[in-house]
Amino acid sequence: MSSSDRLPIRRTEQGPQARSKPMKRQHTARYYAERVRESCTSRVTKTVCAIFLGLVLVVGIVFFILWLSLSPHRPRFHMVEFTVPGLAQPTGFENAEITFNVTVRNSNQHIGIYYDSMVGSVLYRDQRIGSAPLMDPFFQEPKTTTVVDCTFGAATLTVNSKKWEEFMNDRQQGTVVFRLDITSVIRFKVSTWSSKHHRMHVSCDVAVGQDGTILPAWKNKRCPVYFI
């Protein structure tokens, strides 16, 4: 067979010289030192970030708890009594009178309330028929209840004979509906700090029967409270 017909064969060294040939180094010592330094820096950074985030979480929880405990709740008003004695009398118009009793509850745990003013108005069919100051300025301690009562007599009621006839017509139907509005300027107090003034509006619908006394369904009913 001629040499042109043979397949080419690649020869590799198999002797001791081939085994003792050193392997080529892919990275230098400086490279590995930088990798170690970067790894240490990354660990320190992660540790610092973890500590910082932990502190932020703890501070956030503390502030949230304080906010829940110190966030002021609006006062709670309940209609207890409301009486129009003259409705039970044929000539009640001559001595027209309205008497009511409302409780005010400060449900806050650590917040007191200053009432700088309080004015009450009685309305019938959205028309004011009487208005007068209810109480002198006072301070209400946390978790306490204050009773507000007042009597509107001839000096404070503006009820004419036509209006009284409307009362009597409703009375024949069994129910006369009024509305007691209370406006007040209040401030919240935490320790030695007092908030700015807030104008508060309370609206209490109430119905009386033929005898002029509050109907059971309206007794101790909670009144809506708004800030204006």
Side-chain angles (χ1 to χ4, degrees):
M1 184 180 289
S2 62
S3 60
S4 61
D5 295 331
R6 294 178 180 177
L7 295 173
I9 299 174
R10 182 179 179 181
R11 296 180 179 276
T12 58
E13 296 181 358
Q14 300 295 332
Q17 293 181 353
R19 290 194 298 270
S20 63
K21 186 177 180 180
M23 296 181 61
K24 185 178 179 181
R25 181 179 295 175
Q26 296 181 356
H27 300 290
T28 64
R30 182 178 180 182
Y31 169 82
Y32 289 106
E34 290 179 353
R35 289 292 303 273
V36 171
R37 184 165 56 251
E38 290 177 358
S39 177
C40 292
T41 303
S42 177
R43 290 180 181 178
V44 171
T45 302
K46 290 180 179 179
T47 302
V48 172
C49 290
I51 294 173
F52 176 75
L53 292 176
L55 290 175
V56 170
L57 179 62
V58 171
V59 172
I61 293 175
V62 170
F63 272 101
F64 180 70
I65 294 174
L66 290 175
W67 180 81
L68 287 179
S69 61
L70 296 178
S71 179
H73 300 290
R74 62 190 64 191
R76 298 176 182 177
F77 286 74
H78 290 83
M79 176 64 69
V80 179
E81 294 290 344
F82 193 95
T83 306
V84 188
L87 286 180
Q89 305 172 7
T91 59
F93 171 66
E94 298 178 359
N95 56 353
E97 184 179 276
I98 294 178
T99 300
F100 60 85
N101 182 318
V102 177
T103 60
V104 185
R105 175 70 177 176
N106 178 9
S107 60
N108 291 287
Q109 186 73 34
H110 304 288
I111 301 176
I113 302 177
Y114 284 110
Y115 291 83
D116 294 325
S117 65
M118 183 179 289
V119 177
S121 301
V122 176
L123 295 87
Y124 172 76
R125 295 183 180 179
D126 293 329
Q127 296 182 359
R128 183 179 299 174
I129 60 175
S131 181
L134 298 183
M135 295 184 69
D136 294 330
F138 68 97
F139 175 73
Q140 190 176 36
E141 296 284 351
K143 292 294 182 180
T144 59
T145 301
T146 302
V147 177
V148 178
D149 54 8
C150 186
T151 298
F152 288 175
T156 51
L157 285 178
T158 56
V159 178
N160 52 31
S161 57
K162 182 179 180 180
K163 186 68 65 178
W164 191 262
E165 289 179 3
E166 294 178 356
F167 291 172
M168 298 307 293
N169 290 335
D170 288 346
R171 178 181 178 275
Q172 295 301 321
Q173 303 298 322
T175 303
V176 186
V177 180
F178 296 90
R179 187 173 83 241
L180 173 65
D181 282 356
I182 299 176
T183 56
S184 181
V185 177
I186 68 172
R187 290 174 292 146
F188 295 102
K189 180 180 182 296
V190 181
S191 185
T192 59
W193 174 83
S194 296
S195 72
K196 65 179 182 179
H197 290 86
H198 299 276
R199 187 173 177 82
M200 185 178 65
H201 178 219
V202 183
S203 181
C204 303
D205 291 327
V206 59
V208 298
Q210 293 183 341
D211 60 353
T213 60
I214 186 172
L215 294 173
W218 300 84
K219 193 175 179 65
N220 295 318
K221 187 176 181 180
R222 185 172 176 177
C223 307
V225 178
Y226 312 94
F227 286 104
I228 55 178

